[in-house]
Amino acid sequence: MTDQDQKIFDEDKGAYLPVFSRYKIVLDHGEGPYAYDIDGKRYLDFLGGIAVNVLGHDYPPLVDAIAHQARKMIHCSNLYYTRAQADAAAKLVKLSGLDKAFFGNSGAEANEGAIKVARKYAHSLDPEKSQIISAWNSFHGRTIATLTATGQPHYHEGFGPLPDGFDYVHYNDLAELASMMSDKTCAVLLETIQGEGGVYTPNPGYLEGVRKLCDKYHALLIFDEIQAGIGRSGKFFAYEKYGVKPDVVTLAKGLAGGVPIGAFITTDAVANAMKPGDHGTTFGGNPLACAAANVVLDTVPQPEFLAHVETVGSYFKAQLLKLQEKYPSLIKEVRGTGLILGAELTIPGRDIVNDVLAKGAIINCTAGNVLRFIPPLIITEEQVDEVLSMIDDVLPKYC
């Protein structure tokens, strides 16, 4: 740690709200899958800004599009049209097979909007049709409504009273969901792949069963793809991997390659319940964010790009399974698909993350004991080997 580092740590402690448990490095710039600190040390970035930097750092077409749009116009009110927003919305509609898109600034806003449109649509059918069911160990955001939808009680502590009308079931338990639903169910809100809760994929037939239950009770199916979408699963939308189409899908994180943006996409039937003034945003979908999103939307859906994610993701998972065989007392289970992967440990993972960071790689621990890998989608098998070699080097210390 240098004096320069310490000065920034001290400034942060004195002026910034202490809500993050930060690692002791100061990042300065990046290139491709690498990030550099202010002292020039290079790190392989296998966190990708928490699934945000899908095209890596300093991706020339993205940088050029942002610079070009910034010279023209960074922001204007949504009272007016812009080419960048119209193009981005049209691309999302075409890719999703849904009908209408709306842009916000974050994943929380995307899910907040999805909750609002679901309630408004349900109320048009029955004013008492308001129940929203989400899953235990889910994560949907930090606004009051999305915090309530998040099925992790420790996130709720100290923020009550929380909004009414939210219930929880265990992910992958179709029988429990069936017992909870009724004609008063407004929507079922699920992460297609649970990320923050520990990287859980749906069991065969689970999402199909959820879709049938939603149809039975005239409830909307909302897929939160804020972390699992934008190509991370090997498909542009993770729900494509499982053959189930939602009524609403939410996106954020990687949608603009690092520029803040969120979006929800829905059907005409749902969208038609919303009237002018029912929802809005000042910054959401501004020209700068949408110019960046258009680069991602032109790049990630390409078949060769998604094939790369599938290939490298399959290789990565296979190598993680080999690591599990080598350290069965430390690695309990390997989960995930594409480039959203997790290795559940038998011990807490934060110290392992710190040790790997010291060796030159940025990885992550979620749910206390799950090493989560959500790197830029451009990584190579050689870079996978490099990171896993660093992990292999530190694990004997914990045996």
Side-chain angles (χ1 to χ4, degrees), residues 4 30 78 93 128 159 273 324 351 353 381 396:
Q4 186 177 202
N78 276 301
V93 164
E128 295 184 0
F159 296 108
Q324 180 188 18
D351 288 344
V353 172
E381 293 180 4

Side-chain angles (χ1 to χ4, degrees), residues 166-178:
F166 291 84
D167 291 302
Y168 314 98
V169 295
H170 291 90
Y171 187 78
N172 275 325
D173 190 332
L174 199 57
E176 184 182 15
L177 177 62

Side-chain angles (χ1 to χ4, degrees), residues 49 68 80 94 130 196 207 210 277 306 359 386:
H68 177 71
Y80 309 97
K94 182 177 180 180
S130 60
E196 203 76 19
L207 296 181
V210 176
L306 293 174
K359 286 187 169 292
E386 190 175 347

Side-chain angles (χ1 to χ4, degrees), residues 171-192:
Y171 187 78
N172 275 325
D173 190 332
L174 199 57
E176 184 182 15
L177 177 62
S179 72
M180 185 77 73
M181 293 185 72
S182 73
D183 289 333
K184 301 305 179 186
T185 304
C186 163
V188 176
L189 168 60
L190 295 174
E191 292 164 277
T192 317

Side-chain angles (χ1 to χ4, degrees), residues 28-51:
D28 180 71
H29 63 282
E31 182 178 1
Y34 297 98
Y36 296 79
D37 68 18
I38 57 172
D39 304 308
K41 182 175 179 179
R42 189 178 78 169
Y43 302 85
L44 251 175
D45 181 3
F46 267 49
L47 177 59
I50 315 183

Side-chain angles (χ1 to χ4, degrees), residues 45-82:
D45 181 3
F46 267 49
L47 177 59
I50 315 183
V52 169
N53 301 317
V54 291
L55 300 176
H57 302 279
D58 194 24
Y59 181 68
L62 181 62
V63 173
D64 291 346
I66 292 168
H68 177 71
Q69 185 61 54
R71 284 191 293 267
K72 291 176 61 180
M73 176 181 284
I74 293 174
H75 176 78
C76 71
S77 167
N78 276 301
L79 295 174
Y80 309 97
Y81 300 93
T82 67

Side-chain angles (χ1 to χ4, degrees), residues 51-283:
V52 169
N53 301 317
V54 291
L55 300 176
H57 302 279
D58 194 24
Y59 181 68
L62 181 62
V63 173
D64 291 346
I66 292 168
H68 177 71
Q69 185 61 54
R71 284 191 293 267
K72 291 176 61 180
M73 176 181 284
I74 293 174
H75 176 78
C76 71
S77 167
N78 276 301
L79 295 174
Y80 309 97
Y81 300 93
T82 67
R83 167 58 64 189
Q85 186 185 96
D87 287 349
K91 289 169 187 175
L92 284 178
V93 164
K94 182 177 180 180
L95 287 165
S96 67
L98 298 170
D99 302 307
K100 294 292 188 295
F102 182 88
F103 294 107
N105 304 286
S106 66
E109 285 184 50
N111 281 334
E112 187 88 19
I115 290 167
K116 283 183 67 176
V117 298
R119 283 269 174 85
K120 190 72 186 294
Y121 173 74
H123 286 188
S124 72
L125 304 177
D126 177 354
E128 295 184 0
K129 190 176 178 68
S130 60
Q131 180 197 37
I132 294 175
I133 301 173
S134 58
W136 293 113
N137 295 320
S138 60
F139 187 86
H140 297 293
R142 296 182 184 273
T143 64
I144 288 295
T146 58
L147 186 74
T148 308
T150 293
Q152 299 191 55
H154 69 277
Y155 284 120
H156 301 171
E157 294 172 5
F159 296 108
L162 300 176
D164 292 333
F166 291 84
D167 291 302
Y168 314 98
V169 295
H170 291 90
Y171 187 78
N172 275 325
D173 190 332
L174 199 57
E176 184 182 15
L177 177 62
S179 72
M180 185 77 73
M181 293 185 72
S182 73
D183 289 333
K184 301 305 179 186
T185 304
C186 163
V188 176
L189 168 60
L190 295 174
E191 292 164 277
T192 317
I193 298 168
Q194 284 196 328
E196 203 76 19
V199 190
Y200 289 94
T201 56
N203 290 338
Y206 174 63
L207 296 181
E208 293 94 325
V210 176
R211 175 74 270 178
K212 289 177 182 177
L213 284 169
C214 287
D215 292 342
K216 177 180 178 180
Y217 292 107
H218 303 288
L220 299 183
L221 176 56
I222 305 171
F223 282 154
D224 174 342
E225 296 218 353
I226 287 161
Q227 189 167 140
I230 320 296
R232 186 151 298 279
S233 71
K235 301 291 186 183
F236 187 81
F237 291 98
Y239 64 75
E240 298 176 83
K241 206 169 186 97
Y242 305 103
V244 178
K245 188 176 177 181
D247 302 292
V248 187
V249 62
T250 61
L251 299 169
K253 290 193 179 291
L255 179 54
V259 176
I261 196 170
F264 68 82
I265 319 164
T266 190
T267 63
D268 274 332
V270 176
N272 288 340
M274 301 293 282
K275 307 303 179 189
D278 282 348
H279 196 51
T281 174
T282 295
F283 292 106

